[in-house]
Amino acid sequence: MSDQQPSGMLQSLYTNRIGTARTDDEIFGYWLFVIGVLAGLLGVIVFAVTDAQTVSRGIGYALAALAPPLIMIGAVIRFPLRRTAMWLAVVGGLLSVGAVVWFLSVFPGGWPRATGRIDIIGVYTVGLIVIGLAGTVVPLWTDPVYDEHAQLTETTERQRAELETSSARVEESQSRVDELEGDLAARQEELSELEEELSEREAELAALHSSSARFELFEDRGGKHRWRLRHRNGNVIAAAGQGYSSRQKCQQGMHSVMRNALGAGVLRLESEAVETTTEDGEPVPEDADEPDLAVPSVDEDLESAATFEVFEDEGGRWRWRLRHENGNIVADSGEGYASKSNTRRAMRNVRDHVSAADYLDIDPAAFEVYRDRAGQYRWRLLHENGNILGDSGQGYTRRSDARKGLESVRKNVTEAPIVDPGTEPEEETNTDAVFEVYEDKGGEWRWRLVHRNGNVIADSGEGYSARSGCIEAVDRVREYAREADVLDVERAAFEVYEDKGGEWRWRLRHRNGNIIADSGEGYASRSGCIEAVERVKRHAPGAGDEEIET
C-alpha cells in the first residue's frame, strides 16, 4: 500500500466532498466502491428494460454480478487493513470477475432459469468468499507487527502529532520573541533617554569646568619656570610669585593651587602676624620697611602698547598686523582676505581668543580634539612642525565619541597593512583595520584607514603628488600615532613649532582648524618664540585698530 499524499482530480473531488485523505489507497478504494454500486444499479436497469435471451440481457446479468466483488474490494482497500487482506481481496476479485467473463462466453444471451452451471457459480462464489475472508477474518488472525501499512500509518500519525506539537511550540516561541522585541524596544527608548540626559549632564559639567581664565606656563628671562593665571580680557589675576628650576616643579605648584584654591578660606593678617624678628633672631627695626605681602605681577602695564593695522597688499588682498609702539611687528594675519570686512572679522577673532588660548605641547606629534563650525567633534594628528598628518575624516556628535574613534586608530594603526581599495591583506594580521592607498579624481594620492566593519576611521586629509609620498605619510602616522598625546582645544590654541629652516614660529589655530594669526617671522629659540606669544597675549586684547596706506 502507498503512504504518499494523494493527488489528481479524484483527490480534489474526494477532498472537496468527503474529506482529507491520508493515502492514495483510501481514495482508490472509495471510487472502486462507487463503481461497484453504479454497476449494480445499471445492471438492474438493463435487466428490467431488455428482453429475455438477448445479448443486452446478458450484459445486465454481468453488470449486476460485478457489483458485489467491486463493492467488497473497495471496502477492503479503503480501510487500513493488513497487506495480506488486500492481496486476498484482489485474488477473490479476479476469481469473481473471471466467473462473470466465463458466464458471458457460455450464455451470451442471458441465463435461462431452467439451466445452471455449477462450475461458474462455484468460481464466482469462491471469489466472493475470499474477498469476505480478506476483509473480516484475515485482519483478526494476522499479527499487526508484520503489517507494513499499519506501521506506516502509525508513523505518519506520530509524525503529524509531532509536527502539530512543534508548530504549537513555534507559535509560542514567536509570541515570546514578540514580547522580548517589545521589551527591547522599550529598553532602547529608555537608553536613548538616559543618553540624552547624560549628554545634558556632560554639557552642564563642561559649563561648570569652563572658566574665564587660563593658567599659563612660561620661562622668564632668568631661565626660571613660572605660572600665571590670566583672564581672557588679558589681565593677570594671579602669578607664581617665585621661579621653579624645572617645568615639572612649576606644574606641580600650579596643580597645588588648582586643588586648594577653591575651598580655601580667608585669613585676615593683623599687624601682630608680621614677623618681628630677623633671620638672625634680632628685633626688626622700627623704621624698617613693611613686608610686601602682595603677589608680584608679571605684567607691569596691562594697557596695550600695540595697534592693529589693516592694509591692502600689492596683490589686492586685505591683511592685518599687530605693530608695537616701538615699531616691531608682533603678529600678522598670515593670509590675505578678499574684503576689508573679512579682515576685521578675523582680527576680532584674535582679540577674543588670544588671551585665553592654551599652548599645544606637541612633541613630536599629538592628537588634537576640537569642535568644528557645524558643532561636531573631530580630531587631527599634528606634527611639531605644524603639518597635519591625519584627521578623523568625519564629525561626531559627542566629544567622547571622537575620543573613541581616536583610540580605535591608536589601537590599529601600527600593524595595519597597506592594501589597494576593495582588497584583503595577503597575510592574516592581528589588527582590525587596513590602510587603503588610492588615487582620487584629481590625480592626487591619498590614504584612509578602513575598519573591518567598513567605516573609515581616519584619512590623510590632503593629497600627495606621488604614491611613494602617500606611503611615507602612512609610515609617519604609524610612527607617531601610537604614542601621541591627546589635546583638547576649546576655542583656539597656540602652536609653537620649528620650521624647516630651524627657526621657531607660532601660529594661533582656531578649533575649526583655521589659522587666524601667526608670528610672521622666525625666532632663534623656543623661549624667544614663547616670549613673542606672551607679547601678543598682553597687547592684542586691548589694541586699537587703524587702516593704513601701503
Side-chain angles (χ1 to χ4, degrees):
M1 297 178 65
S2 174
D3 61 350
Q4 296 179 353
Q5 291 297 324
S7 59
M9 182 181 67
L10 295 180
Q11 183 270 346
S12 177
L13 184 60
Y14 185 93
T15 301
N16 294 334
R17 296 299 179 181
I18 299 175
T20 302
R22 293 178 296 178
T23 63
D24 286 334
D25 293 335
E26 182 178 342
I27 297 176
F28 179 72
Y30 172 79
W31 290 115
L32 196 59
F33 176 87
V34 171
I35 291 173
V37 173
L38 295 177
L41 293 176
L42 184 59
V44 172
I45 294 172
V46 172
F47 176 85
V49 299
T50 57
D51 297 330
Q53 302 297 319
T54 61
V55 176
S56 300
R57 176 64 63 86
I59 294 174
Y61 277 118
L63 291 174
L66 287 174
L70 290 176
I71 292 173
M72 294 174 67
I73 294 174
V76 172
I77 295 176
R78 188 173 187 275
F79 295 147
L81 301 179
R82 312 291 187 269
R83 180 173 294 276
T84 305
M86 187 193 73
W87 287 114
L88 284 176
V90 173
V91 172
L94 292 176
L95 291 174
S96 298
V97 173
V100 172
V101 174
W102 190 6
F103 167 79
L104 287 176
S105 64
V106 175
F107 303 104
W111 197 343
R113 294 181 182 178
T115 303
R117 290 289 302 268
I118 299 301
D119 50 353
I120 298 176
I121 296 174
V123 173
Y124 181 82
T125 302
V126 169
L128 293 179
I129 292 173
V130 171
I131 298 174
L133 292 175
T136 56
V137 179
V138 171
L140 299 176
W141 283 357
T142 57
D143 190 350
V145 175
Y146 301 100
D147 184 31
E148 194 174 323
H149 176 268
Q151 292 178 354
L152 292 175
T153 301
E154 182 181 358
T155 302
T156 302
E157 289 295 333
R158 185 173 63 254
Q159 292 176 347
R160 180 173 297 179
E162 292 176 354
L163 180 60
E164 291 175 354
T165 303
S166 299
S167 299
R169 291 178 179 175
V170 169
E171 292 177 357
E172 183 180 356
S173 299
Q174 185 62 42
S175 176
R176 180 59 178 165
V177 168
D178 294 339
E179 293 178 1
L180 292 176
E181 288 179 347
D183 292 342
L184 179 60
R187 297 293 184 272
Q188 288 177 341
E189 292 179 357
E190 294 177 359
L191 181 60
S192 299
E193 294 175 357
L194 290 175
E195 288 180 347
E196 293 178 358
E197 184 177 356
L198 179 60
S199 298
E200 294 175 358
R201 295 295 180 269
E202 288 178 348
E204 293 174 0
L205 183 61
L208 290 175
H209 283 294
S210 63
S211 173
S212 298
R214 292 291 186 273
F215 281 95
E216 299 176 352
L217 293 176
F218 64 98
E219 186 176 354
D220 61 18
R221 295 180 180 179
K224 294 288 188 177
H225 293 273
R226 296 176 178 268
W227 63 262
R228 61 190 168 206
L229 182 62
R230 185 191 295 274
H231 195 274
R232 64 179 52 181
N233 61 12
N235 296 337
V236 175
I237 56 181
Q242 64 175 352
Y244 296 87
S245 59
S246 66
R247 184 181 182 90
Q248 181 180 7
K249 291 182 178 180
C250 182
Q251 287 178 329
Q252 291 175 353
M254 183 184 68
H255 290 157
S256 177
V257 174
M258 290 179 179
R259 288 192 303 268
N260 299 301
L262 184 61
V266 178
L267 176 64
R268 181 177 179 180
L269 298 178
E270 302 294 343
S271 58
E272 62 268 17
V274 180
E275 294 292 339
T276 58
T277 61
T278 65
E279 295 180 356
D280 299 330
E282 298 294 331
V284 177
E286 294 183 358
D287 58 350
D289 294 335
E290 294 183 359
D292 186 7
L293 301 178
V295 176
S297 174
V298 177
D299 291 333
E300 298 178 356
D301 185 8
L302 295 178
E303 295 183 359
S304 176
T307 304
F308 281 103
E309 296 178 350
V310 179
F311 62 96
E312 187 177 10
D313 62 15
E314 296 178 354
R317 305 283 289 179
W318 287 89
R319 298 176 179 269
W320 63 261
R321 60 193 172 206
L322 182 62
R323 185 188 296 274
H324 196 271
E325 61 184 9
N326 60 13
N328 294 337
I329 303 297
V330 180
D332 63 33
S333 59
E335 61 174 318
Y337 298 89
S339 64
K340 187 192 304 182
S341 59
N342 289 341
T343 308
R344 291 187 179 276
R345 187 180 299 112
M347 194 171 61
R348 286 194 298 270
N349 282 335
V350 174
R351 279 199 184 106
D352 294 338
H353 301 314
V354 67
S355 61
D358 292 330
Y359 288 97
L360 295 182
D361 189 8
I362 302 174
D363 184 23
F367 283 101
E368 179 184 8
V369 180
Y370 64 99
R371 200 171 185 180
D372 61 16
R373 292 181 179 178
Q376 291 190 315
Y377 291 95
R378 297 176 178 268
W379 62 260
R380 56 191 166 217
L381 181 60
L382 296 174
H383 192 266
E384 62 184 355
N385 61 12
N387 293 336
I388 298 177
L389 303 180
D391 60 36
S392 60
Q394 61 173 326
Y396 299 89
T397 56
R398 296 183 299 181
R399 185 186 297 272
S400 59
D401 292 336
R403 292 292 295 264
K404 289 179 181 178
L406 184 154
E407 293 301 329
S408 177
V409 172
R410 296 176 72 169
K411 176 182 177 182
N412 296 289
V413 68
T414 304
E415 299 182 7
I418 299 176
V419 299
D420 293 328
T423 61
E424 298 292 335
E426 297 180 357
E427 298 181 358
E428 186 175 352
T429 62
N430 295 326
T431 181
D432 292 332
V434 295
F435 280 102
E436 291 185 352
V437 176
Y438 64 98
E439 189 175 8
D440 62 15
K441 296 180 180 179
E444 290 187 318
W445 288 89
R446 297 176 179 269
W447 63 261
R448 58 192 173 208
L449 187 60
V450 182
H451 197 272
R452 65 170 55 181
N453 60 16
N455 293 337
V456 177
I457 57 178
D459 62 32
S460 59
E462 61 176 304
Y464 299 89
S465 58
R467 190 175 191 274
S468 58
C470 185
I471 293 179
E472 290 178 359
V474 171
D475 292 336
R476 287 193 295 272
V477 172
R478 283 174 171 167
E479 178 182 359
Y480 297 124
R482 192 65 179 265
E483 303 297 332
D485 293 330
V486 180
L487 310 171
D488 285 332
V489 176
E490 293 300 329
R491 294 185 177 181
F494 281 99
E495 296 177 5
V496 178
Y497 64 97
E498 189 175 8
D499 62 17
K500 295 180 179 179
E503 291 187 318
W504 289 89
R505 296 177 178 268
W506 63 260
R507 57 187 164 212
L508 182 61
R509 186 188 295 272
H510 194 270
R511 66 185 178 187
N512 59 17
N514 294 336
I515 297 174
I516 56 178
D518 63 27
S519 59
E521 62 176 318
Y523 299 88
S525 64
R526 182 184 179 90
S527 59
C529 184
I530 292 178
E531 287 181 4
V533 173
E534 295 305 319
R535 287 194 294 272
V536 174
K537 281 176 170 283
R538 183 166 59 250
H539 297 296
D545 62 87
E546 62 180 21
E547 184 177 343
I548 63 173
E549 297 290 337
T550 59

